[in-house]
């Protein structure tokens, strides 16, 4: 199953969900504004990338500051 991490005000997130729905692909959504993300979850995501993911995060987001991960991006 596809897992997507979203924020309510994100238009790219909405477009991604629209595309997934249009192609009848099932997914699990985790809204970061409502559900948050743990440090462990985020580090797990980062270990599965080859430096492509960090550019998609805004470094000054409250979530990253709270998890003390901005220095890793």
């Amino acid at each position: 199953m596809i897992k997507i991490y979203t924020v309510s005000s994100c238009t790219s997130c909405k477009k991604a969900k629209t595309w997934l729905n249009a192609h009848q692909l099932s997914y699990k959504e985790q809204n970061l504004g409502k559900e948050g993300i743990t440090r462990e979850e985020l580090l797990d995501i980062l270990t599965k990338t080859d430096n492509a993911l960090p550019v998609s995060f805004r470094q000054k987001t409250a979530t990253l500051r709270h998890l003390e991960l901005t220095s890793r991006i």
Side-chain angles (χ1 to χ4, degrees):
M1 165 135 350
I2 298 168
K3 184 168 187 177
I4 61 172
Y5 299 88
T6 63
V7 180
S8 299
S9 61
C10 174
T11 56
S12 295
C13 299
K14 292 174 186 173
K15 289 177 184 178
K17 292 190 312 183
T18 298
W19 187 90
L20 290 167
N21 290 330
H23 290 84
Q24 299 178 344
L25 296 169
S26 57
Y27 61 91
K28 181 179 186 318
E29 177 181 3
Q30 182 169 339
N31 185 303
L32 299 177
K34 295 177 183 176
E35 301 169 49
I37 189 168
T38 66
R39 179 182 177 89
E40 292 74 24
E41 287 174 313
L42 189 51
L43 289 173
D44 181 56
I45 293 167
L46 292 173
T47 63
K48 295 176 181 172
T49 68
D50 46 342
N51 297 324
L53 184 64
V55 297
S56 67
F57 283 108
R58 290 184 22 219
Q59 292 188 17
K60 295 184 179 182
T61 62
T63 300
L64 293 181
R65 282 195 311 270
H66 174 72
L67 297 174
E68 300 174 358
L69 294 173
T70 55
S71 63
R72 295 183 183 226
I73 307 177

